[in-house]
Amino acid sequence: MKKLLLATLLLVNGLLAVAENGYELWLRYRPLPLASQQAYRPYFRKIFIQPGNASATAIKNELSIAIPALLGIQPVFYSDAAMAGNSGLYINTDAGFHTAITQNNNTRLKETGTEGFYLYAGKNKKQQAVLSILSQSDKGSLYAVFHLLRMMQNQQAIQQLNLLSVPKLQLRLLNHWDNLNRSVERGYAGLSLWNWHTLPGYIDQRYIDYARANASIGINGTVLTNVNANATVLTAPYLLKVKALADVFRPYGIKVYLTARFSAPIEMGGLKTADPLDPDVKDWWKQKANEIYSLIPDFGGFLVKANSEGQPGPQDYKRTHADGANMLADAVQPHKGIVIWRAFVYAAENPVDRHKQAYDDFVPLDGQFRNNVMVQVKNGAIDFMPREPFHPLFGAMPRTPLMMEFQVTQEYLGQATQLVFLAPLFKEVLDADTYSKGKGSTVAKVIDGSLDQHTLNGMAGVSNIGNDINWCGHPFAQANWYALGRLAWDHSISSEQIAEEWLRMSYSADPSFIHTTKNIMLRSREIMVNYMNPLGLHHIMGTGHHYGPAPWVSNLNRPEWNPVYYHKADSLGIGFNRTASGSNAISQYHPEARKAWENPTTCDEKYLLWFHHVSWNQKLSSGNSLWNELCKRYYNGADSVKWMIREWSQQEKRVDAQRFKAVSMLLNIQWEEAKWWRNACLLYFQTFSRQPIPAGYEQPELTLDYYKKLRFPYAPGN
Ligand code: GCW
């Protein structure tokens, strides 16, 4: 018996300690230093969970994994109020009970709302240490437990806790672009987690671990299917599979959503039309919603991509996006569901600058959407580029709740071969000022509803999760999933805090490791911008798979799919003139916001070529000509990857061998890719500038022709 126990322990510990493949994510519970253990232990020996807590199983499960691992003690759970009164943790929604035990008058309970929590540490009547989690909902208590665990993983003091935490955003969602055949559009981490073939009978442990990870960062909804939608998911057998997932996720506070293919009434229902004003069509969706809700009473609702990139939509019937969204909204409204309608629309037959099309389509519809509709807007007007100014729709539709869509999967940001930490990108957009209601009308205030008093509000991230053993492909890509959740809960926390928490929880608390690696993370996005798309360049990547540079491509059917459409390089200069003398997309921004960009000689250089066609010889703030500055940025960017490699190589003793090696190999790939971007872009743009790459820079060895001939027929995610 003893032997068996020992073997099991070894196996468990062995698996945790040796196989550092990243599967545990940031829920990597390791023994804390003895002093911390001793400080925390009194609170976790006895844990009271109020009877009937719908998340009790999830809470117990997590604490049973975490507490022994972190503190070396086995907690005792109980729900019998008669046994209360000792030291320990109290998880509760009953304020009176709490006051009796903890002598705290709980005045802040009211402020916790439907998902927040109030955490405080105090003494009971016997002067013993007690820690309380007080919330108005079971979800609140679940989030509080994860918050406490995070504090301990970060070795923060909890003895004086008196903390109210309420999410700033109501909807905190992942959008999976997962297909029913398990391929993932723009997925670089293997296949879809959802094994539709074995569902509903087989519940993969991965589904539970996915839910744990999401709950730990406050994500409360998941759209299971690709926005390039397949109506099959709405058939009865598939809905049973969806229900099985919803049942797994529910105790973790996660609702499921589906994408709705607009033409489903024709494809599945045998109707002749999908016209949103047609009574049979309306009825079909109503029945479909009823069917879904009979299986999944808390189904979140539908996410829709319509009349964009070939997807069907209301405009096929000369109806507006509002007509389409409202018809679906009426179908889910009796069940308290919502419709999230995407604003990512542009049409090949529309010659107007693609930058302007979503705004043109949607602004006139402001005020016409039902109150259970949200419009989901990508962070920028083009498409998840390494850097974009904020989307002009933010601040321009005050009567419609706008949901933020970020891309966590790194389609245009190095995919899963490059270390790029995205919190600085997310924050740059959230902190941008739209000026729509005067100075300080930040994008964050638009989406959290505070600017225009919207109670429906939220943020979505296009998921980077697949069935790779480490979930996200690149070990550091996990940090981007983590960042999305943390910022959706509280968009005011800093990138630095997010990076530091994630590193400590996922790797180690070693101060020099944290210092160096955090620095790599925080600089990584700017470095990538420099070697890929400096000075406001955008959309110059390879066709289809979007892997690597291809600024020369000009042969695609749709003009706005060609990189040459975006950089407009010619013998005079480079860049897209979006001012009044050009496409005038800049006019879609508030005059105050525009000021920073309007004038080509004073334009914030981050966005220079985004808004202006600039002469090769124009002097920039550095004193360099545009051409020389472009060269400098590309070279600095690529050289900085060498710096990342050097810094990481110092960490060998501070991280486990498996992840150390994985990151090292990927950084070497990143270096090759950075050089490729630098050389291919500069050689190509040089054919227009007709100027040399300044002496002192190592000249490209390979020819432009070589780069043009590269092909990647099996690049992932396509
Ligand atoms: O960025 C583009 C992607 C498409 C994606 C589309 C969208 C799901 O290349 O793969 O389709 O955006 O957001 O709808």
Side-chain angles (χ1 to χ4, degrees):
M1 185 62 193
K2 257 195 185 156
K3 257 191 193 160
L4 189 71
L5 195 70
L6 191 70
T8 323
L9 275 177
L10 278 178
L11 186 69
V12 171
N13 283 330
L15 276 178
L16 296 179
V18 179
E20 290 269 344
N21 52 28
Y23 181 85
E24 294 169 281
L25 296 159
W26 48 89
L27 303 177
R28 177 182 175 273
Y29 304 119
R30 292 290 182 277
L32 294 172
L34 201 59
S36 303
Q37 289 192 341
Q38 279 164 350
Y40 294 140
R41 276 178 190 164
Y43 299 105
F44 294 95
R45 289 211 164 86
K46 297 200 177 101
I47 301 176
F48 171 84
I49 305 182
Q50 180 168 298
N53 186 315
S55 291
T57 316
I59 289 173
K60 272 190 209 166
N61 178 46
E62 202 61 33
L63 289 169
S64 309
I65 302 172
I67 298 304
L70 291 168
L71 306 184
I73 55 168
Q74 199 68 53
V76 175
F77 296 96
Y78 66 104
S79 296
D80 182 353
M83 286 167 61
N86 295 315
S87 67
L89 174 63
Y90 290 86
I91 302 176
N92 213 290
T93 54
D94 175 348
F97 172 84
H98 256 262
T99 312
I101 300 288
T102 63
Q103 305 182 292
N104 184 308
N105 61 14
N106 304 312
T107 43
R108 310 206 69 183
L109 177 62
K110 284 191 287 304
E111 297 168 58
T112 57
T114 51
E115 292 183 302
F117 55 84
Y118 178 43
L119 261 177
Y120 63 91
K123 295 256 158 55
N124 65 10
K125 287 178 189 135
K126 295 184 245 166
Q127 293 306 304
Q128 295 163 319
V130 287
L131 185 60
S132 295
I133 289 176
L134 205 55
S135 59
Q136 299 183 60
S137 73
D138 301 334
K139 279 170 86 175
S141 48
L142 178 71
Y143 293 139
V145 165
F146 278 112
H147 186 96
L148 265 181
L149 291 174
R150 178 165 57 240
M151 289 189 77
M152 292 198 282
Q153 285 175 285
N154 281 280
Q155 291 179 51
Q156 291 161 352
I158 59 174
Q159 289 81 348
Q160 307 294 326
L161 257 180
N162 186 345
L163 171 103
L164 177 78
S165 183
V166 181
K168 288 207 164 62
L169 296 169
Q170 195 195 327
L171 299 173
R172 305 177 299 277
L173 308 191
L174 283 177
N175 288 183
H176 287 267
W177 287 355
D178 293 18
N179 299 312
L180 298 183
N181 66 6
R182 295 191 78 180
S183 65
V184 180
E185 182 153 355
R186 311 310 174 186
Y188 310 101
L191 297 176
S192 168
L193 284 186
W194 326 133
N195 189 336
W196 296 106
H197 187 64
T198 56
L199 280 166
Y202 186 86
I203 299 300
D204 193 323
Q205 175 63 29
R206 277 244 162 163
Y207 304 152
I208 299 159
D209 292 335
Y210 166 87
R212 290 173 53 221
N214 278 323
S216 76
I217 50 175
I219 285 177
N220 65 0
T222 178
V223 184
L224 299 174
T225 46
N226 191 353
V227 289
N228 288 330
N230 183 332
T232 306
V233 77
L234 301 174
T235 59
Y238 274 84
L239 289 177
L240 286 176
K241 299 169 195 279
V242 174
K243 172 189 158 47
L245 289 175
D247 291 343
V248 174
F249 299 157
R250 189 169 297 111
Y252 288 91
I254 300 165
K255 286 186 182 181
V256 300
Y257 297 69
L258 291 175
T259 47
R261 183 157 166 91
F262 205 77
S263 50
I266 304 175
E267 289 161 29
M268 288 169 49
L271 300 187
K272 292 228 158 44
T273 176
D275 181 348
L277 301 192
D278 182 285
D280 291 339
V281 172
K282 289 185 188 180
D283 192 57
W284 189 86
W285 281 109
K286 279 216 164 90
Q287 297 311 324
K288 190 45 76 183
N290 294 345
E291 182 187 349
I292 296 174
Y293 280 94
S294 70
L295 295 167
I296 309 164
D298 56 353
F299 178 67
F302 293 123
L303 170 67
V304 187
K305 170 176 178 177
N307 293 116
S308 173
E309 300 185 330
Q311 292 299 302
Q315 292 178 339
D316 302 344
Y317 308 95
K318 308 246 176 314
R319 312 294 186 197
T320 67
H321 285 290
D323 294 328
N326 291 343
M327 181 270 296
L328 288 173
D330 290 342
V332 295
Q333 189 277 332
H335 310 281
K336 300 199 171 70
I338 63 165
V339 168
I340 305 171
W341 195 268
R342 293 177 88 228
F344 180 70
V345 297
Y346 62 98
E349 51 292 352
N350 187 348
V352 166
D353 177 3
R354 170 174 164 190
H355 196 295
K356 297 172 74 175
Q357 296 187 25
Y359 182 103
D360 289 348
D361 264 12
F362 277 85
V363 169
L365 302 176
D366 191 26
Q368 293 183 28
F369 293 98
R370 298 275 193 273
N371 56 20
N372 60 335
V373 174
M374 301 192 73
V375 171
Q376 182 166 301
V377 182
K378 288 190 183 182
N379 59 272
I382 299 295
D383 196 0
F384 299 136
M385 294 292 112
R387 169 167 279 132
E388 293 190 53
F390 68 87
H391 201 300
L393 277 174
F394 292 114
M397 296 185 67
R399 298 167 69 195
T400 311
L402 299 188
M403 177 131 171
M404 172 62 76
E405 180 174 318
F406 282 129
Q407 196 180 44
V408 183
T409 193
Q410 293 165 239
E411 175 179 3
Y412 303 101
L413 292 94
Q415 303 189 353
T417 46
Q418 301 192 11
L419 189 167
V420 181
F421 178 49
L422 298 182
L425 185 163
F426 300 161
K427 294 281 294 179
E428 181 175 283
V429 178
L430 292 165
D431 293 343
D433 201 339
T434 70
Y435 287 93
S436 60
K437 291 231 160 85
K439 197 171 164 44
S441 307
T442 59
V443 171
K445 288 186 188 162
V446 174
I447 64 155
D448 72 13
S450 60
L451 198 68
D452 303 301
Q453 284 77 52
H454 291 299
T455 44
L456 208 54
N457 52 58
M459 182 190 291
V462 178
S463 149
N464 63 350
I465 302 161
N467 74 345
D468 272 9
I469 191 75
N470 72 1
W471 304 84
C472 301
H474 196 299
F476 274 68
Q478 297 177 353
N480 294 330
W481 175 9
Y482 183 80
L484 179 93
R486 297 290 283 131
L487 287 172
W489 185 275
D490 181 358
H491 51 65
S492 74
I493 61 180
S494 68
S495 299
E496 183 173 358
Q497 182 187 331
I498 297 170
E500 178 153 349
E501 284 176 0
W502 178 80
L503 282 167
R504 282 171 175 268
M505 294 159 77
S506 311
Y507 284 88
S508 140
D510 180 317
S512 20
F513 172 78
I514 297 287
H515 175 80
T516 310
T517 318
K518 187 170 71 177
N519 199 14
I520 295 178
M521 289 174 77
L522 292 175
R523 287 186 56 192
S524 60
R525 188 276 184 129
E526 204 61 44
I527 290 171
M528 179 270 308
V529 167
N530 279 332
Y531 63 70
M532 274 190 197
N533 287 193
L535 296 169
L537 285 172
H538 52 286
H539 213 289
I540 54 174
M541 66 292 153
T543 299
H545 48 63
H546 297 167
Y547 174 62
W552 46 80
V553 170
S554 64
N555 61 351
L556 305 176
N557 288 341
R558 297 176 59 155
E560 79 289 0
W561 281 352
N562 288 303
V564 296
Y565 172 96
Y566 297 94
H567 63 68
K568 304 217 185 301
D570 57 23
S571 62
L572 301 176
I574 180 170
F576 199 132
N577 180 358
R578 293 195 164 105
T579 65
S581 59
S583 81
N584 207 17
I586 202 168
S587 68
Q588 294 180 334
Y589 292 94
H590 190 280
E592 284 298 318
R594 253 184 253 161
K595 272 191 185 158
W597 307 322
E598 229 152 30
N599 181 333
T601 55
T602 58
C603 176
D604 179 349
E605 285 173 3
K606 293 201 287 289
Y607 303 109
L608 184 63
L609 307 180
W610 189 280
F611 287 114
H612 302 279
H613 191 74
V614 180
S615 129
W616 294 112
N617 293 319
Q618 180 171 311
K619 281 256 175 310
L620 301 193
S621 61
S622 60
N624 288 332
S625 68
L626 172 65
W627 168 252
N628 284 350
E629 184 67 20
L630 203 62
C631 293
K632 188 180 103 187
R633 303 260 177 145
Y634 270 112
Y635 275 88
N636 282 356
D639 286 348
S640 301
V641 179
K642 276 199 286 193
W643 167 81
M644 291 165 77
I645 292 174
R646 280 196 307 275
E647 296 289 291
W648 180 257
S649 71
Q650 311 292 313
Q651 308 311 315
E652 182 157 14
K653 295 272 160 336
R654 303 186 182 123
V655 288
D656 59 281
Q658 192 173 343
R659 290 185 298 169
F660 174 77
K661 195 168 163 211
V663 174
S664 304
M665 290 186 292
L666 287 163
L667 283 171
N668 286 324
I669 295 177
Q670 185 166 353
W671 161 236
E672 294 302 326
E673 291 177 347
K675 270 193 300 187
W676 171 28
W677 269 96
R678 178 193 75 192
N679 293 349
C681 291
L682 287 178
L683 287 170
Y684 169 71
F685 292 135
Q686 192 176 37
T687 64
F688 299 96
S689 79
R690 308 210 163 270
Q691 297 187 36
I693 293 174
Y697 291 130
E698 165 206 11
Q699 302 291 311
E701 277 173 17
L702 300 160
T703 62
L704 177 57
D705 203 47
Y706 165 84
Y707 290 115
K708 283 188 175 176
K709 286 198 177 117
L710 292 175
R711 293 290 176 274
F712 304 93
Y714 305 113
N718 191 10

